[in-house]
Amino acid sequence: MISGQKLAGILRDHGFKVTPQRLAVYEVLAESQSHPNAEMLYNQLRPKYPSMSFATVYKTVEILSQLGLIKILNTGEGSSRYDAIISEHSHVQCNECGRVENVGPLSAADLDKEVAAKTGYKVEEKQFYFYGICGDCQKKQN
């Protein structure tokens, strides 16, 4: 997580306005383990920023992604989720409740080589998504 002061500097350096709402969106993402989507972010921030629009949240996550400060996760739900942990790591999502959690980096060197051999691509980045049923939902099922 970067500080608000550093984030403000990065935004300014790239020609973006620094607003309390933009700083708050990043702060919520940096402190969140739930990988929220834009609607979740909006609902969480609205009590503190009642005049903030959904468009502000959406535009902010696009800016943060463009600057490389967050990752956009496509978990197949129809809306993207966001993650402020930008180092390489994987995710697991519960098929019942939708919770998304981090999985540490996985060793995939052989997979990189196989993909490169089959496609001719030089693999620069990868994301793995795993799907299953979390422990809480398993308990509810039993």
Side-chain angles (χ1 to χ4, degrees):
M1 177 173 157
I2 60 173
S3 70
Q5 186 175 17
K6 184 170 181 174
L7 175 59
I10 293 169
L11 288 168
R12 275 191 209 99
D13 290 348
H14 288 88
F16 296 106
K17 289 183 182 179
V18 177
T19 66
Q21 292 87 346
R22 285 185 176 162
L23 298 175
V25 168
Y26 178 79
E27 184 179 331
V28 167
L29 284 172
E31 293 175 355
S32 174
Q33 295 297 310
S34 65
H35 306 83
N37 61 28
E39 183 178 359
M40 294 170 177
L41 286 166
Y42 174 71
N43 290 335
Q44 186 172 347
L45 290 167
R46 187 141 191 233
K48 188 172 180 181
Y49 301 95
S51 64
M52 182 172 58
S53 70
F54 179 76
T56 297
V57 173
Y58 190 76
K59 184 173 181 173
T60 299
V61 293
E62 290 297 317
I63 290 168
L64 294 173
S65 172
Q66 177 185 336
L67 296 175
L69 300 172
I70 65 168
K71 286 193 175 228
I72 297 176
L73 309 177
N74 179 355
T75 58
E77 298 173 299
S79 66
S80 297
R81 290 186 178 229
Y82 306 99
D83 191 351
I85 299 173
I86 56 173
S87 61
E88 189 173 287
H89 65 284
S90 302
H91 297 91
V92 61
Q93 182 174 14
C94 180
N95 290 327
E96 295 292 319
C97 68
R99 180 170 65 196
V100 177
E101 296 185 50
N102 293 324
V103 177
L106 302 172
S107 176
D110 290 337
L111 190 56
D112 285 358
K113 291 175 189 172
E114 187 175 341
V115 168
K118 288 183 177 183
T119 65
Y121 278 67
K122 176 185 172 194
V123 176
E124 296 180 340
E125 183 180 349
K126 58 195 155 294
Q127 291 186 21
F128 293 106
Y129 296 96
F130 298 89
Y131 300 90
I133 300 174
C134 71
D136 291 341
C137 289
Q138 289 177 53
K139 289 175 190 172
K140 290 176 190 174
Q141 289 178 344
N142 294 332

